[in-house]
Amino acid sequence: GVLPPASTPAEPPAATEAVTVTFARYDRTARWVPGGGTLLELAESAGIDAPHGCRSGSCGTCAARVLSGAASHGPVSAVRAADQALI
């Protein structure tokens, strides 16, 4: 396979089962299920008005630090660090 450039974090495998997501800044927890949409959509369903700009992951406005676990992104991603997720 082709390895990503050194500056691009390795992509974790996509989740295949439901996971609990804690939005620490907002002190809210929600359950994400595969096929359940983006983390931004999950945040909104939990009543969180999270910052965002493009809703596609290319502008980076919604970047959040991952305190525990990992996030998987699609092919378009403005992720700049291994401990960062675009919600």
Side-chain angles (χ1 to χ4, degrees):
V2 176
L3 295 175
S7 62
T8 302
E11 190 70 19
T16 58
E17 56 189 58
V19 295
T20 299
V21 176
T22 300
F23 297 95
R25 178 179 299 163
Y26 303 97
D27 194 29
R28 301 249 176 98
T29 300
R31 191 91 170 139
W32 179 88
V33 295
T38 66
L39 291 177
L40 176 58
E41 292 165 334
L42 182 65
E44 290 171 336
S45 73
I48 297 169
D49 185 20
H52 65 281
C54 66
R55 299 192 77 87
S56 67
S58 60
C59 74
T61 302
C62 66
R65 196 164 56 120
V66 176
L67 301 177
S68 147
S72 180
H73 298 92
V76 177
S77 176
V79 161
R80 293 179 283 281
D83 69 342
Q84 189 177 63
L86 300 175
I87 66 167

